[in-house]
Amino acid sequence: MSLYIVQLLFIAVWLAVTGSVTLANIVFALIVSTLALGLIRHQLPGGRSHFLRLFRVLSLALLFFKELALSAWKVAVLVTRPKLRVQPGIFAYPLTVTTDFEITLLANLITLTPGTLSVDVSEDRTTLYVHALDCSDIEATKNDIRNGFEKKIMEAFQK
């Protein structure tokens, strides 16, 4: 049985025993179940990879929030200037991720970041078309995506 399912069962049992389904109680149950599974991970098959993947997914989430804050700040600075100096455009980003889940996750992370929008994926699923508010340095934007979101997605979800 997957450790994710065991963890969800722990959380469900905790919520049922306490009789309180609040955000604080769910977070507490998540923390306690993670610690409990962490203590016995060496005795369970696949236990080590579960926690490594969990750490990598959390790392991806932290990167997203960092990028969200930075890009929101950049967009706010751009739109509050008296003269709007942007070069909007669409560029083709060559994908390294391969599965539908990874492509969808990357496209959504790009879309949720202010100033960028995923427009389309090519038929052969090798290119993602991205609209950016400022395309003055497309290669830098591609490198940011490649070394940021795409790298973290590959670390977290590829075996």
Side-chain angles (χ1 to χ4, degrees):
M1 182 181 298
S2 169
L3 286 179
Y4 297 111
I5 295 171
V6 172
Q7 189 167 24
L8 287 174
L9 287 172
F10 279 173
I11 292 169
V13 167
W14 176 260
L15 295 175
V17 167
T18 61
S20 172
V21 184
T22 63
L23 180 61
N25 204 23
I26 293 170
V27 170
F28 181 74
L30 178 67
I31 292 169
V32 170
S33 64
T34 301
L35 291 174
L37 289 173
L39 290 173
I40 63 169
R41 72 180 178 275
H42 300 293
Q43 300 169 358
L44 300 171
R48 292 184 182 135
S49 65
H50 170 76
F51 290 99
L52 182 61
R53 178 171 285 180
L54 182 63
F55 174 75
R56 289 179 175 167
V57 169
L58 290 174
S59 175
L60 174 63
L62 288 174
L63 174 68
F64 170 70
F65 288 119
K66 176 189 146 212
E67 289 295 325
L68 180 67
L70 288 174
S71 64
W73 174 256
K74 289 177 187 176
V75 170
V77 168
L78 278 174
V79 299
T80 56
R81 289 189 176 153
K83 183 158 173 98
L84 192 61
R85 293 182 187 152
V86 294
Q87 295 175 339
I90 295 177
F91 63 90
Y93 177 76
L95 291 169
T96 306
V97 293
T98 55
T99 67
D100 288 339
F101 172 75
E102 294 168 343
I103 293 170
T104 303
L105 181 60
L106 178 63
N108 283 321
L109 290 174
I110 289 170
T111 297
L112 290 171
T113 306
T116 55
L117 174 70
S118 300
V119 179
D120 197 11
V121 178
S122 64
E123 288 291 325
D124 60 357
R125 296 175 24 206
T126 59
T127 305
L128 179 67
Y129 296 98
V130 178
H131 178 275
L133 186 61
D134 190 10
C135 284
S136 58
D137 192 358
I138 295 173
E139 287 306 313
T141 305
K142 287 181 180 180
N143 284 333
D144 287 345
I145 295 171
R146 184 178 305 109
N147 296 323
F149 289 142
E150 193 169 37
K151 180 181 175 186
K152 291 288 186 180
I153 289 171
M154 290 174 65
E155 288 174 358
F157 297 107
Q158 289 185 351
K159 294 180 181 180

mmCIF file of all heavy atoms in Angstrom, residues 4-16 29 32-34 36-37 40:
data_model
loop_
_atom_site.group_PDB
_atom_site.id
_atom_site.type_symbol
_atom_site.label_atom_id
_atom_site.label_comp_id
_atom_site.label_asym_id
_atom_site.label_seq_id
_atom_site.Cartn_x
_atom_site.Cartn_y
_atom_site.Cartn_z
ATOM 1 N N TYR A 4 1.300 7.270 0.709
ATOM 2 C CA TYR A 4 0.359 8.387 0.580
ATOM 3 C C TYR A 4 -1.034 7.962 1.058
ATOM 4 O O TYR A 4 -1.719 8.708 1.750
ATOM 5 C CB TYR A 4 0.282 8.884 -0.869
ATOM 6 C CG TYR A 4 1.585 9.438 -1.373
ATOM 7 C CD1 TYR A 4 2.312 8.772 -2.348
ATOM 8 C CD2 TYR A 4 2.105 10.630 -0.870
ATOM 9 C CE1 TYR A 4 3.508 9.275 -2.803
ATOM 10 C CE2 TYR A 4 3.293 11.136 -1.317
ATOM 11 C CZ TYR A 4 4.002 10.461 -2.294
ATOM 12 O OH TYR A 4 5.177 10.965 -2.740
ATOM 13 N N ILE A 5 -1.429 6.755 0.689
ATOM 14 C CA ILE A 5 -2.735 6.246 1.117
ATOM 15 C C ILE A 5 -2.744 6.019 2.629
ATOM 16 O O ILE A 5 -3.717 6.358 3.308
ATOM 17 C CB ILE A 5 -3.096 4.956 0.348
ATOM 18 C CG1 ILE A 5 -3.262 5.277 -1.146
ATOM 19 C CG2 ILE A 5 -4.343 4.311 0.907
ATOM 20 C CD1 ILE A 5 -3.412 4.077 -2.034
ATOM 21 N N VAL A 6 -1.648 5.466 3.163
ATOM 22 C CA VAL A 6 -1.547 5.267 4.608
ATOM 23 C C VAL A 6 -1.634 6.606 5.324
ATOM 24 O O VAL A 6 -2.339 6.748 6.332
ATOM 25 C CB VAL A 6 -0.239 4.528 4.970
ATOM 26 C CG1 VAL A 6 -0.031 4.484 6.473
ATOM 27 C CG2 VAL A 6 -0.234 3.127 4.384
ATOM 28 N N GLN A 7 -0.956 7.604 4.799
ATOM 29 C CA GLN A 7 -0.997 8.927 5.417
ATOM 30 C C GLN A 7 -2.407 9.511 5.363
ATOM 31 O O GLN A 7 -2.884 10.095 6.337
ATOM 32 C CB GLN A 7 0.000 9.864 4.737
ATOM 33 C CG GLN A 7 0.163 11.175 5.459
ATOM 34 C CD GLN A 7 1.361 11.958 4.974
ATOM 35 O OE1 GLN A 7 1.819 11.792 3.862
ATOM 36 N NE2 GLN A 7 1.867 12.827 5.831
ATOM 37 N N LEU A 8 -3.091 9.352 4.233
ATOM 38 C CA LEU A 8 -4.473 9.832 4.135
ATOM 39 C C LEU A 8 -5.384 9.096 5.116
ATOM 40 O O LEU A 8 -6.291 9.699 5.704
ATOM 41 C CB LEU A 8 -4.984 9.689 2.704
ATOM 42 C CG LEU A 8 -4.425 10.682 1.693
ATOM 43 C CD1 LEU A 8 -4.910 10.342 0.286
ATOM 44 C CD2 LEU A 8 -4.804 12.101 2.062
ATOM 45 N N LEU A 9 -5.145 7.809 5.297
ATOM 46 C CA LEU A 9 -5.924 7.052 6.277
ATOM 47 C C LEU A 9 -5.661 7.557 7.699
ATOM 48 O O LEU A 9 -6.597 7.693 8.498
ATOM 49 C CB LEU A 9 -5.616 5.559 6.180
ATOM 50 C CG LEU A 9 -6.179 4.838 4.962
ATOM 51 C CD1 LEU A 9 -5.639 3.415 4.882
ATOM 52 C CD2 LEU A 9 -7.692 4.832 5.005
ATOM 53 N N PHE A 10 -4.402 7.823 8.010
ATOM 54 C CA PHE A 10 -4.075 8.398 9.322
ATOM 55 C C PHE A 10 -4.814 9.711 9.536
ATOM 56 O O PHE A 10 -5.390 9.950 10.604
ATOM 57 C CB PHE A 10 -2.571 8.647 9.445
ATOM 58 C CG PHE A 10 -1.751 7.439 9.799
ATOM 59 C CD1 PHE A 10 -0.367 7.523 9.802
ATOM 60 C CD2 PHE A 10 -2.328 6.229 10.129
ATOM 61 C CE1 PHE A 10 0.407 6.423 10.120
ATOM 62 C CE2 PHE A 10 -1.571 5.128 10.457
ATOM 63 C CZ PHE A 10 -0.188 5.222 10.445
ATOM 64 N N ILE A 11 -4.799 10.549 8.535
ATOM 65 C CA ILE A 11 -5.462 11.858 8.646
ATOM 66 C C ILE A 11 -6.970 11.673 8.828
ATOM 67 O O ILE A 11 -7.587 12.325 9.672
ATOM 68 C CB ILE A 11 -5.138 12.732 7.422
ATOM 69 C CG1 ILE A 11 -3.647 13.117 7.430
ATOM 70 C CG2 ILE A 11 -6.000 13.990 7.385
ATOM 71 C CD1 ILE A 11 -3.161 13.753 6.158
ATOM 72 N N ALA A 12 -7.565 10.779 8.027
ATOM 73 C CA ALA A 12 -9.010 10.540 8.129
ATOM 74 C C ALA A 12 -9.390 9.998 9.504
ATOM 75 O O ALA A 12 -10.394 10.424 10.092
ATOM 76 C CB ALA A 12 -9.460 9.571 7.037
ATOM 77 N N VAL A 13 -8.589 9.074 10.026
ATOM 78 C CA VAL A 13 -8.869 8.519 11.351
ATOM 79 C C VAL A 13 -8.747 9.610 12.408
ATOM 80 O O VAL A 13 -9.589 9.722 13.301
ATOM 81 C CB VAL A 13 -7.934 7.322 11.654
ATOM 82 C CG1 VAL A 13 -7.991 6.929 13.117
ATOM 83 C CG2 VAL A 13 -8.294 6.147 10.764
ATOM 84 N N TRP A 14 -7.729 10.436 12.306
ATOM 85 C CA TRP A 14 -7.549 11.520 13.273
ATOM 86 C C TRP A 14 -8.745 12.475 13.254
ATOM 87 O O TRP A 14 -9.254 12.868 14.297
ATOM 88 C CB TRP A 14 -6.259 12.286 12.990
ATOM 89 C CG TRP A 14 -6.089 13.467 13.892
ATOM 90 C CD1 TRP A 14 -6.344 14.769 13.597
ATOM 91 C CD2 TRP A 14 -5.690 13.444 15.250
ATOM 92 N NE1 TRP A 14 -6.121 15.567 14.680
ATOM 93 C CE2 TRP A 14 -5.710 14.767 15.724
ATOM 94 C CE3 TRP A 14 -5.306 12.447 16.130
ATOM 95 C CZ2 TRP A 14 -5.363 15.111 17.019
ATOM 96 C CZ3 TRP A 14 -4.955 12.779 17.419
ATOM 97 C CH2 TRP A 14 -4.991 14.103 17.846
ATOM 98 N N LEU A 15 -9.178 12.854 12.062
ATOM 99 C CA LEU A 15 -10.318 13.760 11.954
ATOM 100 C C LEU A 15 -11.591 13.116 12.509
ATOM 101 O O LEU A 15 -12.412 13.793 13.138
ATOM 102 C CB LEU A 15 -10.513 14.200 10.506
ATOM 103 C CG LEU A 15 -9.378 15.046 9.912
ATOM 104 C CD1 LEU A 15 -9.641 15.313 8.435
ATOM 105 C CD2 LEU A 15 -9.183 16.334 10.670
ATOM 106 N N ALA A 16 -11.749 11.813 12.280
ATOM 107 C CA ALA A 16 -12.933 11.124 12.803
ATOM 108 C C ALA A 16 -12.885 11.023 14.323
ATOM 109 O O ALA A 16 -13.905 11.214 14.995
ATOM 110 C CB ALA A 16 -13.035 9.732 12.180
ATOM 111 N N ALA A 29 -2.918 16.991 11.741
ATOM 112 C CA ALA A 29 -2.945 15.564 11.401
ATOM 113 C C ALA A 29 -1.902 15.241 10.337
ATOM 114 O O ALA A 29 -1.253 14.191 10.394
ATOM 115 C CB ALA A 29 -4.340 15.169 10.924
ATOM 116 N N VAL A 32 1.532 15.260 12.162
ATOM 117 C CA VAL A 32 1.690 14.090 13.038
ATOM 118 C C VAL A 32 1.839 12.811 12.213
ATOM 119 O O VAL A 32 2.692 11.963 12.512
ATOM 120 C CB VAL A 32 0.496 13.984 14.023
ATOM 121 C CG1 VAL A 32 0.512 12.653 14.760
ATOM 122 C CG2 VAL A 32 0.533 15.134 15.009
ATOM 123 N N SER A 33 1.052 12.660 11.157
ATOM 124 C CA SER A 33 1.160 11.448 10.331
ATOM 125 C C SER A 33 2.499 11.400 9.596
ATOM 126 O O SER A 33 3.077 10.327 9.439
ATOM 127 C CB SER A 33 -0.011 11.358 9.354
ATOM 128 O OG SER A 33 0.016 12.424 8.432
ATOM 129 N N THR A 34 2.996 12.552 9.158
ATOM 130 C CA THR A 34 4.308 12.582 8.505
ATOM 131 C C THR A 34 5.403 12.182 9.488
ATOM 132 O O THR A 34 6.300 11.398 9.149
ATOM 133 C CB THR A 34 4.598 13.982 7.930
ATOM 134 O OG1 THR A 34 3.577 14.316 6.986
ATOM 135 C CG2 THR A 34 5.951 14.034 7.253
ATOM 136 N N ALA A 36 4.998 10.340 12.207
ATOM 137 C CA ALA A 36 4.808 8.923 12.546
ATOM 138 C C ALA A 36 5.359 8.020 11.449
ATOM 139 O O ALA A 36 6.070 7.048 11.734
ATOM 140 C CB ALA A 36 3.324 8.637 12.784
ATOM 141 N N LEU A 37 5.056 8.340 10.203
ATOM 142 C CA LEU A 37 5.574 7.532 9.099
ATOM 143 C C LEU A 37 7.088 7.712 8.965
ATOM 144 O O LEU A 37 7.790 6.788 8.550
ATOM 145 C CB LEU A 37 4.869 7.892 7.799
ATOM 146 C CG LEU A 37 3.417 7.439 7.699
ATOM 147 C CD1 LEU A 37 2.763 7.994 6.446
ATOM 148 C CD2 LEU A 37 3.326 5.925 7.729
ATOM 149 N N ILE A 40 8.941 5.216 11.213
ATOM 150 C CA ILE A 40 8.942 3.809 10.815
ATOM 151 C C ILE A 40 9.265 3.610 9.336
ATOM 152 O O ILE A 40 9.092 2.515 8.808
ATOM 153 C CB ILE A 40 7.582 3.151 11.150
ATOM 154 C CG1 ILE A 40 6.455 3.814 10.364
ATOM 155 C CG2 ILE A 40 7.311 3.166 12.629
ATOM 156 C CD1 ILE A 40 5.147 3.066 10.420
#
